[in-house]
Amino acid sequence: MKQVLLITPEEAIERTSMDDNIDRNKIINTIIVAQDLTLEPLLGSVMFDEIKEQIIEDTLTDDYKTLLDYYCRKVLTSSILNKVNMFLIYRHNNTGVVKNEIDKQNVLSKTDIETLRGEIDEHTNVYSRRLTAFLEANLDKYPLYDDIVEGKQQAINAGNQAFYNPDSYENEHKKDRYGF
């Protein structure tokens, strides 16, 4: 499927503390990563692809527009802000990974960046929970998500029955190996 941005670089800049002078290509790459790693797992691939297809065909329904405007884009902007930091500070070239530094401004230390990322991560998590709660409360409007909920429940049920218990594993193998 054609690459579709669910939020434009301009919207990402407007909704966050990013400066307007940031290279749009770096923001575009970060949007793609945020969509793939943060939003798609929340929506499920089928629903995610349906939204992208409706955008391509310019047939976005009111329900999906509401979902995008009030929930998905909040998740994305927070995720983008968290991920763009590393793309802006470091870049890869033929000699390896280099750090961009500006003479008149101080670049945050790794500890400061981790603190900032932790705070932004919390925002992403809150927006993600709101998105999930909204979808679960409106399954009649988002039947493709209902399939995801059923699949998650099946995985949870299966996961509850399959877990590693080191004591059980060790005791079981001792019996096999040593006969007691």
Side-chain angles (χ1 to χ4, degrees):
M1 176 178 281
K2 179 182 170 185
Q3 190 60 255
V4 176
L5 300 180
L6 302 182
I7 188 169
T8 66
E10 289 73 22
E11 287 174 307
I13 288 170
E14 184 180 301
R15 293 170 176 244
T16 64
S17 59
M18 287 188 276
D19 279 340
D20 193 41
N21 65 348
I22 294 176
D23 181 357
R24 298 302 193 260
N25 288 329
K26 290 182 181 179
I27 296 174
I28 289 170
N29 291 336
T30 308
I31 291 170
I32 292 167
V33 169
Q35 287 181 180
D36 292 347
L37 300 182
T38 306
L39 191 60
E40 184 175 3
L42 290 170
L43 298 176
S45 296
V46 174
M47 184 178 209
F48 185 70
D49 288 343
E50 176 63 23
I51 292 170
K52 291 192 313 185
E53 190 171 310
Q54 286 187 19
I55 290 171
I56 289 169
E57 295 174 359
D58 197 26
T59 59
L60 194 63
T61 65
D62 288 340
D63 289 336
Y64 279 127
K65 183 169 178 14
T66 298
L67 182 68
L68 277 175
D69 290 345
Y70 294 100
Y71 297 95
C72 294
R73 289 190 176 124
K74 288 182 180 182
V75 171
L76 281 175
T77 54
S78 186
S79 181
I80 290 162
L81 185 59
N82 200 1
K83 295 176 186 333
V84 79
N85 291 320
M86 299 313 280
F87 289 112
L88 296 175
I89 295 171
Y90 301 102
R91 61 186 169 88
H92 298 78
N93 63 26
N94 290 335
T95 61
V97 179
V98 295
K99 184 176 180 179
N100 295 325
E101 291 192 18
I102 301 172
D103 294 339
K104 295 182 182 179
Q105 295 179 346
N106 292 328
V107 176
L108 291 178
S109 69
K110 184 175 181 186
T111 304
D112 290 339
I113 290 173
E114 288 172 359
T115 302
L116 178 63
R117 290 186 78 195
E119 183 67 27
I120 298 168
D121 253 349
E122 181 55 34
H123 296 177
T124 305
N125 290 335
V126 168
Y127 289 136
S128 296
R129 287 191 299 271
R130 286 181 184 172
L131 168 64
T132 302
F134 174 76
L135 287 168
E136 288 175 358
N138 292 283
L139 291 175
D140 56 321
K141 294 180 181 180
Y142 305 101
L144 295 177
Y145 186 75
D146 193 23
D147 295 341
I148 295 302
V149 171
E150 288 176 17
K152 282 182 184 176
Q153 190 58 51
Q154 290 170 357
I156 289 168
N157 291 341
N160 287 339
Q161 297 171 12
F163 64 93
Y164 172 69
N165 181 341
D167 295 330
S168 173
Y169 178 82
E170 292 300 322
N171 289 336
E172 197 173 298
H173 281 62
K174 283 180 185 176
K175 287 179 189 174
D176 290 343
R177 187 175 295 157
Y178 303 112
F180 60 87

